[in-house]
Amino acid sequence: DTGVSQNPRHKITKRGQNVTFRCDPISEHNRLYWYRQTLGQGPEFLTYFQNEAQLEKSRLLSDRFSAERPKGSFSTLEIQRTEQGDSAMYLCASSFRRIVSGETQYFGPGTRLLVL
Amino acid sequence: GDSVTQMEGPVTLSEEAFLTINCTYTATGYPSLFWYVQYPGEGLQLLLKATKADDKGSNKGFEATYRKETTSFHLEKGSVQVSDSAVYFCALKLGQAGTALIFGKGTTLSVSS
């Protein structure tokens, strides 16, 4: 169990550029979540995958955002035409439901995005 | 809607002091409750959880009891250490699986020696 990994850890981009982040979940976890965290706030849900299917999207996820999870393994989150308001920490979490203990989400270290 | 409210920080304590961080929630159903901790420069780590009323979660000397009657899940530790300095997040989750966590805004704890 190597934990959830995210790349890159930091990204600086200019307004209007596209950026893509990657998340590698814990290997046996079939659920994957993306959250966004801005300074001084708790994480806010963006979207959720079960295996390769994207089952839920938050209203925070505008049409400039797209997420994929091909083959139910790693996931990518792309932001097109970035805006300064997109500057935040983007967190990925994965989970696997256990009958007795339920579901616990394990978080990666996050990708910090700064849009200039 | 469903939400979590945490006491505002920062909380500043001396080493070996008693810690309480208040957390209350509003939920339409019967949530599971969590405390996550975020150390400087690191990601969120699960600290403890409770899945039903009167359950007590505990880990690393921290405890929290799920109180349905007061809709609370206060975090406590009897004797804090400098290494406990971090941001603490209370969160809830409704449903069995595949639902998002709803987080509070976080409480910053600073412990001095």
Side-chain angles (χ1 to χ4, degrees):
Chain A
D1 182 349
T2 57
V4 178
S5 61
Q6 292 186 247
N7 287 289
R9 293 291 305 275
H10 304 273
K11 179 70 176 179
I12 300 174
T13 191
K14 293 182 179 178
R15 186 164 48 100
Q17 297 295 305
N18 298 345
V19 295
T20 300
F21 310 140
R22 176 178 170 127
C23 171
D24 287 89
I26 294 171
S27 58
E28 71 268 23
H29 286 187
N30 61 341
R31 295 185 176 88
L32 188 147
Y33 300 79
W34 285 98
Y35 293 83
R36 182 176 70 185
Q37 184 180 16
T38 54
L39 201 61
Q41 302 294 318
E44 296 174 292
F45 169 72
L46 292 178
T47 190
Y48 152 64
F49 290 85
Q50 180 164 316
N51 299 313
E52 68 276 8
Q54 187 172 17
L55 296 185
E56 191 175 347
K57 289 192 281 189
S58 160
R59 60 181 170 76
L60 293 176
L61 209 69
S62 76
D63 55 7
R64 295 185 298 106
F65 287 70
S66 62
E68 294 183 339
R69 193 184 182 197
K71 302 179 182 179
S73 56
F74 69 93
S75 176
T76 58
L77 178 68
E78 181 183 18
I79 309 174
Q80 295 182 326
R81 306 181 303 282
T82 53
E83 301 172 357
Q84 289 181 326
D86 296 331
S87 297
M89 176 78 87
Y90 290 84
L91 297 169
C92 176
S94 70
S95 71
F96 179 81
R97 180 172 176 258
R98 287 173 168 75
I99 300 298
V100 175
S101 59
E103 182 194 20
T104 296
Q105 294 179 25
Y106 294 88
F107 283 80
T111 295
R112 185 172 293 283
L113 173 66
L114 177 61
V115 182
L116 301 176
Chain B
D2 304 317
S3 65
V4 173
T5 302
Q6 290 181 237
M7 64 186 286
E8 290 195 15
V11 174
T12 304
L13 295 173
S14 298
E15 208 165 21
E16 299 183 1
F18 184 86
L19 169 71
T20 299
I21 300 178
N22 290 339
C23 170
T24 57
Y25 67 89
T26 302
T28 52
Y30 300 98
S32 296
L33 300 173
F34 303 80
W35 277 100
Y36 280 83
V37 59
Q38 190 170 34
Y39 297 103
E42 298 184 17
L44 287 164
Q45 299 176 25
L46 177 67
L47 183 58
L48 53 84
K49 70 176 187 179
T51 57
K52 61 183 187 296
D54 299 325
D55 270 1
K56 177 186 283 189
S58 61
N59 186 25
K60 299 180 181 179
F62 291 90
E63 293 184 341
T65 301
Y66 189 145
R67 300 286 188 199
K68 183 181 173 185
E69 63 276 14
T70 55
T71 62
S72 65
F73 193 54
H74 303 322
L75 182 68
E76 296 181 336
K77 187 175 185 182
S79 176
V80 293
Q81 305 300 311
V82 172
S83 58
D84 294 326
S85 298
V87 183
Y88 292 81
F89 292 93
C90 185
L92 69 83
K93 189 176 82 67
L94 291 165
Q96 289 296 314
T99 55
L101 289 162
I102 297 171
F103 286 88
K105 291 186 176 182
T107 303
T108 299
L109 170 66
S110 179
V111 181
S112 58
S113 57

PDB file of all heavy atoms in Angstrom, chain B residues 1 4 9-10 12 14 20-21 29-30 35 38 42 46 54 58-59 66 75 86-87 90 100 111 113:
ATOM      1  N   GLY B   1     -29.093  22.669   3.830  1.00  0.00           N
ATOM      2  CA  GLY B   1     -28.385  21.474   3.378  1.00  0.00           C
ATOM      3  C   GLY B   1     -27.501  20.915   4.468  1.00  0.00           C
ATOM      4  O   GLY B   1     -27.364  21.478   5.550  1.00  0.00           O
ATOM      5  N   VAL B   4     -21.153  21.141   8.163  1.00  0.00           N
ATOM      6  CA  VAL B   4     -20.340  20.936   9.365  1.00  0.00           C
ATOM      7  C   VAL B   4     -19.837  22.300   9.826  1.00  0.00           C
ATOM      8  O   VAL B   4     -19.354  23.091   9.006  1.00  0.00           O
ATOM      9  CB  VAL B   4     -19.139  20.017   9.065  1.00  0.00           C
ATOM     10  CG1 VAL B   4     -18.216  19.945  10.271  1.00  0.00           C
ATOM     11  CG2 VAL B   4     -19.625  18.625   8.675  1.00  0.00           C
ATOM     12  N   GLY B   9     -10.384  28.967  14.588  1.00  0.00           N
ATOM     13  CA  GLY B   9      -9.073  29.032  15.205  1.00  0.00           C
ATOM     14  C   GLY B   9      -8.475  30.407  15.008  1.00  0.00           C
ATOM     15  O   GLY B   9      -9.177  31.337  14.634  1.00  0.00           O
ATOM     16  N   PRO B  10      -7.175  30.528  15.225  1.00  0.00           N
ATOM     17  CA  PRO B  10      -6.332  29.413  15.664  1.00  0.00           C
ATOM     18  C   PRO B  10      -6.471  29.134  17.155  1.00  0.00           C
ATOM     19  O   PRO B  10      -6.833  30.015  17.928  1.00  0.00           O
ATOM     20  CB  PRO B  10      -4.932  29.906  15.326  1.00  0.00           C
ATOM     21  CG  PRO B  10      -5.026  31.392  15.408  1.00  0.00           C
ATOM     22  CD  PRO B  10      -6.419  31.747  14.965  1.00  0.00           C
ATOM     23  N   THR B  12      -4.294  28.116  20.281  1.00  0.00           N
ATOM     24  CA  THR B  12      -2.898  28.147  20.711  1.00  0.00           C
ATOM     25  C   THR B  12      -2.805  27.582  22.114  1.00  0.00           C
ATOM     26  O   THR B  12      -3.473  28.076  23.033  1.00  0.00           O
ATOM     27  CB  THR B  12      -2.348  29.579  20.683  1.00  0.00           C
ATOM     28  OG1 THR B  12      -2.511  30.115  19.370  1.00  0.00           O
ATOM     29  CG2 THR B  12      -0.873  29.595  21.050  1.00  0.00           C
ATOM     30  N   SER B  14      -0.152  25.467  25.189  1.00  0.00           N
ATOM     31  CA  SER B  14       1.165  25.028  25.641  1.00  0.00           C
ATOM     32  C   SER B  14       1.196  23.507  25.669  1.00  0.00           C
ATOM     33  O   SER B  14       0.147  22.847  25.805  1.00  0.00           O
ATOM     34  CB  SER B  14       1.461  25.576  27.035  1.00  0.00           C
ATOM     35  OG  SER B  14       1.482  26.987  27.017  1.00  0.00           O
ATOM     36  N   THR B  20      -9.684  20.738  23.237  1.00  0.00           N
ATOM     37  CA  THR B  20     -11.022  20.463  22.704  1.00  0.00           C
ATOM     38  C   THR B  20     -11.215  21.304  21.461  1.00  0.00           C
ATOM     39  O   THR B  20     -10.985  22.512  21.498  1.00  0.00           O
ATOM     40  CB  THR B  20     -12.133  20.834  23.711  1.00  0.00           C
ATOM     41  OG1 THR B  20     -11.979  20.065  24.889  1.00  0.00           O
ATOM     42  CG2 THR B  20     -13.501  20.542  23.105  1.00  0.00           C
ATOM     43  N   ILE B  21     -11.628  20.666  20.382  1.00  0.00           N
ATOM     44  CA  ILE B  21     -12.034  21.376  19.174  1.00  0.00           C
ATOM     45  C   ILE B  21     -13.493  20.978  18.904  1.00  0.00           C
ATOM     46  O   ILE B  21     -13.791  19.807  18.685  1.00  0.00           O
ATOM     47  CB  ILE B  21     -11.174  21.033  17.945  1.00  0.00           C
ATOM     48  CG1 ILE B  21      -9.709  21.395  18.205  1.00  0.00           C
ATOM     49  CG2 ILE B  21     -11.694  21.779  16.713  1.00  0.00           C
ATOM     50  CD1 ILE B  21      -8.767  21.053  17.062  1.00  0.00           C
ATOM     51  N   GLY B  29     -29.836  12.806   7.216  1.00  0.00           N
ATOM     52  CA  GLY B  29     -29.917  11.399   7.573  1.00  0.00           C
ATOM     53  C   GLY B  29     -29.053  11.081   8.762  1.00  0.00           C
ATOM     54  O   GLY B  29     -28.930  11.879   9.693  1.00  0.00           O
ATOM     55  N   TYR B  30     -28.433   9.929   8.720  1.00  0.00           N
ATOM     56  CA  TYR B  30     -27.569   9.478   9.817  1.00  0.00           C
ATOM     57  C   TYR B  30     -26.154   9.334   9.284  1.00  0.00           C
ATOM     58  O   TYR B  30     -25.788   8.292   8.748  1.00  0.00           O
ATOM     59  CB  TYR B  30     -28.092   8.158  10.380  1.00  0.00           C
ATOM     60  CG  TYR B  30     -29.495   8.290  10.911  1.00  0.00           C
ATOM     61  CD1 TYR B  30     -30.593   7.910  10.148  1.00  0.00           C
ATOM     62  CD2 TYR B  30     -29.733   8.826  12.172  1.00  0.00           C
ATOM     63  CE1 TYR B  30     -31.881   8.059  10.634  1.00  0.00           C
ATOM     64  CE2 TYR B  30     -31.017   8.970  12.659  1.00  0.00           C
ATOM     65  CZ  TYR B  30     -32.092   8.592  11.883  1.00  0.00           C
ATOM     66  OH  TYR B  30     -33.366   8.736  12.359  1.00  0.00           O
ATOM     67  N   TRP B  35     -12.714  12.880  11.701  1.00  0.00           N
ATOM     68  CA  TRP B  35     -11.737  13.941  11.896  1.00  0.00           C
ATOM     69  C   TRP B  35     -10.527  13.614  11.028  1.00  0.00           C
ATOM     70  O   TRP B  35      -9.979  12.506  11.100  1.00  0.00           O
ATOM     71  CB  TRP B  35     -11.302  14.058  13.349  1.00  0.00           C
ATOM     72  CG  TRP B  35     -12.243  14.859  14.194  1.00  0.00           C
ATOM     73  CD1 TRP B  35     -13.197  14.391  15.048  1.00  0.00           C
ATOM     74  CD2 TRP B  35     -12.315  16.289  14.260  1.00  0.00           C
ATOM     75  NE1 TRP B  35     -13.865  15.435  15.639  1.00  0.00           N
ATOM     76  CE2 TRP B  35     -13.343  16.616  15.179  1.00  0.00           C
ATOM     77  CE3 TRP B  35     -11.611  17.329  13.648  1.00  0.00           C
ATOM     78  CZ2 TRP B  35     -13.677  17.932  15.494  1.00  0.00           C
ATOM     79  CZ3 TRP B  35     -11.951  18.630  13.956  1.00  0.00           C
ATOM     80  CH2 TRP B  35     -12.972  18.925  14.867  1.00  0.00           C
ATOM     81  N   GLN B  38      -4.291  17.732   8.867  1.00  0.00           N
ATOM     82  CA  GLN B  38      -3.399  18.145   7.777  1.00  0.00           C
ATOM     83  C   GLN B  38      -2.183  18.806   8.389  1.00  0.00           C
ATOM     84  O   GLN B  38      -2.259  19.942   8.894  1.00  0.00           O
ATOM     85  CB  GLN B  38      -4.131  19.097   6.840  1.00  0.00           C
ATOM     86  CG  GLN B  38      -3.401  19.421   5.552  1.00  0.00           C
ATOM     87  CD  GLN B  38      -4.282  20.178   4.578  1.00  0.00           C
ATOM     88  OE1 GLN B  38      -5.127  20.989   4.968  1.00  0.00           O
ATOM     89  NE2 GLN B  38      -4.116  19.914   3.288  1.00  0.00           N
ATOM     90  N   GLU B  42       1.639  18.697   4.020  1.00  0.00           N
ATOM     91  CA  GLU B  42       1.210  17.330   3.741  1.00  0.00           C
ATOM     92  C   GLU B  42      -0.270  17.272   3.382  1.00  0.00           C
ATOM     93  O   GLU B  42      -1.005  18.245   3.512  1.00  0.00           O
ATOM     94  CB  GLU B  42       1.485  16.440   4.953  1.00  0.00           C
ATOM     95  CG  GLU B  42       2.957  16.340   5.303  1.00  0.00           C
ATOM     96  CD  GLU B  42       3.192  15.371   6.441  1.00  0.00           C
ATOM     97  OE1 GLU B  42       2.292  14.554   6.743  1.00  0.00           O
ATOM     98  OE2 GLU B  42       4.283  15.422   7.033  1.00  0.00           O
ATOM     99  N   LEU B  46      -6.588  10.646   7.737  1.00  0.00           N
ATOM    100  CA  LEU B  46      -7.678  10.289   8.633  1.00  0.00           C
ATOM    101  C   LEU B  46      -7.143  10.143  10.051  1.00  0.00           C
ATOM    102  O   LEU B  46      -6.192   9.406  10.287  1.00  0.00           O
ATOM    103  CB  LEU B  46      -8.339   8.982   8.189  1.00  0.00           C
ATOM    104  CG  LEU B  46      -9.449   8.484   9.097  1.00  0.00           C
ATOM    105  CD1 LEU B  46     -10.645   9.427   9.062  1.00  0.00           C
ATOM    106  CD2 LEU B  46      -9.873   7.071   8.703  1.00  0.00           C
ATOM    107  N   ASP B  54     -23.224   7.345  19.594  1.00  0.00           N
ATOM    108  CA  ASP B  54     -22.551   6.882  20.816  1.00  0.00           C
ATOM    109  C   ASP B  54     -21.230   6.158  20.543  1.00  0.00           C
ATOM    110  O   ASP B  54     -20.550   5.791  21.495  1.00  0.00           O
ATOM    111  CB  ASP B  54     -23.469   5.995  21.661  1.00  0.00           C
ATOM    112  CG  ASP B  54     -24.708   6.738  22.115  1.00  0.00           C
ATOM    113  OD1 ASP B  54     -24.609   7.953  22.380  1.00  0.00           O
ATOM    114  OD2 ASP B  54     -25.781   6.112  22.191  1.00  0.00           O
ATOM    115  N   SER B  58     -11.041   6.803  18.302  1.00  0.00           N
ATOM    116  CA  SER B  58      -9.837   7.194  19.018  1.00  0.00           C
ATOM    117  C   SER B  58      -8.610   6.801  18.217  1.00  0.00           C
ATOM    118  O   SER B  58      -8.604   5.806  17.490  1.00  0.00           O
ATOM    119  CB  SER B  58      -9.789   6.563  20.405  1.00  0.00           C
ATOM    120  OG  SER B  58      -9.784   5.162  20.295  1.00  0.00           O
ATOM    121  N   ASN B  59      -7.563   7.629  18.366  1.00  0.00           N
ATOM    122  CA  ASN B  59      -6.314   7.367  17.658  1.00  0.00           C
ATOM    123  C   ASN B  59      -5.265   8.346  18.167  1.00  0.00           C
ATOM    124  O   ASN B  59      -5.548   9.542  18.314  1.00  0.00           O
ATOM    125  CB  ASN B  59      -6.491   7.535  16.156  1.00  0.00           C
ATOM    126  CG  ASN B  59      -5.267   7.132  15.357  1.00  0.00           C
ATOM    127  OD1 ASN B  59      -4.468   6.319  15.809  1.00  0.00           O
ATOM    128  ND2 ASN B  59      -5.127   7.681  14.169  1.00  0.00           N
ATOM    129  N   TYR B  66     -19.554  10.393  18.992  1.00  0.00           N
ATOM    130  CA  TYR B  66     -20.685  10.749  18.140  1.00  0.00           C
ATOM    131  C   TYR B  66     -21.901  10.967  19.028  1.00  0.00           C
ATOM    132  O   TYR B  66     -22.452  10.018  19.590  1.00  0.00           O
ATOM    133  CB  TYR B  66     -20.917   9.589  17.181  1.00  0.00           C
ATOM    134  CG  TYR B  66     -21.897   9.767  16.054  1.00  0.00           C
ATOM    135  CD1 TYR B  66     -21.639   9.154  14.835  1.00  0.00           C
ATOM    136  CD2 TYR B  66     -23.084  10.467  16.176  1.00  0.00           C
ATOM    137  CE1 TYR B  66     -22.524   9.246  13.779  1.00  0.00           C
ATOM    138  CE2 TYR B  66     -23.975  10.565  15.131  1.00  0.00           C
ATOM    139  CZ  TYR B  66     -23.697   9.950  13.935  1.00  0.00           C
ATOM    140  OH  TYR B  66     -24.578  10.042  12.889  1.00  0.00           O
ATOM    141  N   LEU B  75     -13.583  16.973  19.187  1.00  0.00           N
ATOM    142  CA  LEU B  75     -12.285  16.313  19.261  1.00  0.00           C
ATOM    143  C   LEU B  75     -11.589  16.706  20.561  1.00  0.00           C
ATOM    144  O   LEU B  75     -11.539  17.895  20.902  1.00  0.00           O
ATOM    145  CB  LEU B  75     -11.411  16.720  18.064  1.00  0.00           C
ATOM    146  CG  LEU B  75     -10.037  16.070  17.971  1.00  0.00           C
ATOM    147  CD1 LEU B  75     -10.169  14.575  17.684  1.00  0.00           C
ATOM    148  CD2 LEU B  75      -9.204  16.750  16.898  1.00  0.00           C
ATOM    149  N   ALA B  86      -1.161  21.434  13.688  1.00  0.00           N
ATOM    150  CA  ALA B  86      -1.697  21.056  12.380  1.00  0.00           C
ATOM    151  C   ALA B  86      -3.049  21.731  12.206  1.00  0.00           C
ATOM    152  O   ALA B  86      -3.530  22.427  13.101  1.00  0.00           O
ATOM    153  CB  ALA B  86      -1.852  19.548  12.263  1.00  0.00           C
ATOM    154  N   VAL B  87      -3.667  21.470  11.054  1.00  0.00           N
ATOM    155  CA  VAL B  87      -5.044  21.902  10.834  1.00  0.00           C
ATOM    156  C   VAL B  87      -5.946  20.671  10.935  1.00  0.00           C
ATOM    157  O   VAL B  87      -5.663  19.648  10.317  1.00  0.00           O
ATOM    158  CB  VAL B  87      -5.232  22.570   9.461  1.00  0.00           C
ATOM    159  CG1 VAL B  87      -6.672  23.065   9.310  1.00  0.00           C
ATOM    160  CG2 VAL B  87      -4.262  23.726   9.283  1.00  0.00           C
ATOM    161  N   CYS B  90     -13.178  18.530  10.618  1.00  0.00           N
ATOM    162  CA  CYS B  90     -14.297  17.650  10.919  1.00  0.00           C
ATOM    163  C   CYS B  90     -15.087  17.440   9.626  1.00  0.00           C
ATOM    164  O   CYS B  90     -15.215  18.383   8.812  1.00  0.00           O
ATOM    165  CB  CYS B  90     -15.174  18.309  11.984  1.00  0.00           C
ATOM    166  SG  CYS B  90     -16.539  17.307  12.581  1.00  0.00           S
ATOM    167  N   ALA B 100     -19.776  11.933  -1.219  1.00  0.00           N
ATOM    168  CA  ALA B 100     -18.665  12.817  -0.883  1.00  0.00           C
ATOM    169  C   ALA B 100     -18.644  13.150   0.594  1.00  0.00           C
ATOM    170  O   ALA B 100     -19.666  13.138   1.276  1.00  0.00           O
ATOM    171  CB  ALA B 100     -18.779  14.099  -1.694  1.00  0.00           C
ATOM    172  N   VAL B 111       0.838  24.383  18.997  1.00  0.00           N
ATOM    173  CA  VAL B 111       1.279  23.980  20.333  1.00  0.00           C
ATOM    174  C   VAL B 111       2.719  24.429  20.527  1.00  0.00           C
ATOM    175  O   VAL B 111       3.585  24.128  19.696  1.00  0.00           O
ATOM    176  CB  VAL B 111       1.177  22.463  20.515  1.00  0.00           C
ATOM    177  CG1 VAL B 111       1.628  22.066  21.925  1.00  0.00           C
ATOM    178  CG2 VAL B 111      -0.249  21.988  20.252  1.00  0.00           C
ATOM    179  N   SER B 113       6.229  24.784  23.089  1.00  0.00           N
ATOM    180  CA  SER B 113       6.907  24.073  24.188  1.00  0.00           C
ATOM    181  C   SER B 113       7.219  25.000  25.346  1.00  0.00           C
ATOM    182  O   SER B 113       7.101  26.216  25.236  1.00  0.00           O
ATOM    183  CB  SER B 113       8.192  23.444  23.669  1.00  0.00           C
ATOM    184  OG  SER B 113       9.028  24.441  23.109  1.00  0.00           O
TER     185      SER B 113
END
